[in-house]
Amino acid sequence: GWLPLAGSLCIAIGYAVIVTYILKALVDSLLGTLMTGDAAVWFASFSTQPYSVIPYHVIVVAGTLLTLFLGAHSIEKSNKVMMPLFFIIFLVLAVRVALLPGSAEGYKFMFTPRWEALKDPMIWIWAMGQAFFSLSVTGSGMIVYGAYLSKDEDVVAMGQHTAIFDT
C-alpha cells in the first residue's frame, strides 16, 4: 500500500504548487494587478523569480495542514460551501464564454470530430497523457474515498471500473 500513497504524495506536492499559483492569481485579481497587464508578463514576473511565491505557498501548506489536523469533518464542512460555490463559478464562466464573440466557431471546432486526426501518433500520446493525468487524480480521490468504505465493498472492482470508464 505504500506505493500508491507515495504516488499520491508526489501528486499532492505538485498540486500544492498549482494551488499556490492560483492563490497568487486570486490576490492579484482582487488587487487589480492581474487584469491590467499581459498575462504572460504577469506570470513571468513571479515564476522566474526565486522564492517569490513562498508566502503564498506557506499559506497553502498551512491551510492544508490545518484542514488535515481538524479531520474529515472540517473537509466535509468546507466542501458544503466550496462545491456549490465551484458550480456557481463554473456556471458564470460558462455563460461568459458562451457570450464571447466567436464562441459559436469555438464550440463548432470543439464538438466536430476530425477522424483523420486518429492517424497521428501524437494524438494517441496526448490522449494517454490525459488518461494518466485523470487516473492519477482519480487514484488520489479513491484513497480518500476508500477511507469511508465499509469492509463489504469490492475495492478491486471499483478500481477496475474507474480505470476502464476513465480511459
Side-chain angles (χ1 to χ4, degrees), residues 25-106:
L26 173 65
V27 169
D28 287 357
S29 293
L30 295 174
L31 296 175
T33 56
L34 178 61
M35 303 304 192
T36 58
D38 181 25
V41 173
W42 168 81
F43 185 77
S45 71
F46 69 87
S47 64
T48 58
Q49 297 294 324
Y51 312 110
S52 66
V53 292
I54 294 292
Y56 297 99
H57 194 69
V58 168
I59 292 168
V60 168
V61 171
T64 302
L65 289 174
L66 181 65
T67 302
L68 291 172
F69 286 134
L70 293 174
H73 295 293
S74 71
I75 295 171
E76 290 170 5
K77 286 179 184 177
S78 299
N79 279 340
K80 285 182 181 178
V81 174
M82 287 193 275
M83 288 309 292
L85 188 60
F86 167 75
F87 287 112
I88 291 169
I89 292 170
F90 181 77
L91 287 173
V92 168
L93 285 174
V95 169
R96 171 73 177 116
V97 167
L99 296 176
L100 287 173
S103 63
E105 292 83 17

Side-chain angles (χ1 to χ4, degrees), residues 133-149:
F133 164 76
S134 57
L135 282 172
S136 66
V137 171
T138 303
S140 296
M142 288 181 71
I143 290 173
V144 174
Y145 178 68
Y148 292 96
L149 288 178

Side-chain angles (χ1 to χ4, degrees), residues 149-163:
L149 288 178
S150 70
K151 300 286 185 194
D152 300 331
E153 298 291 337
D154 187 355
V155 177
V156 174
M158 287 182 187
Q160 289 171 341
H161 290 142
T162 301

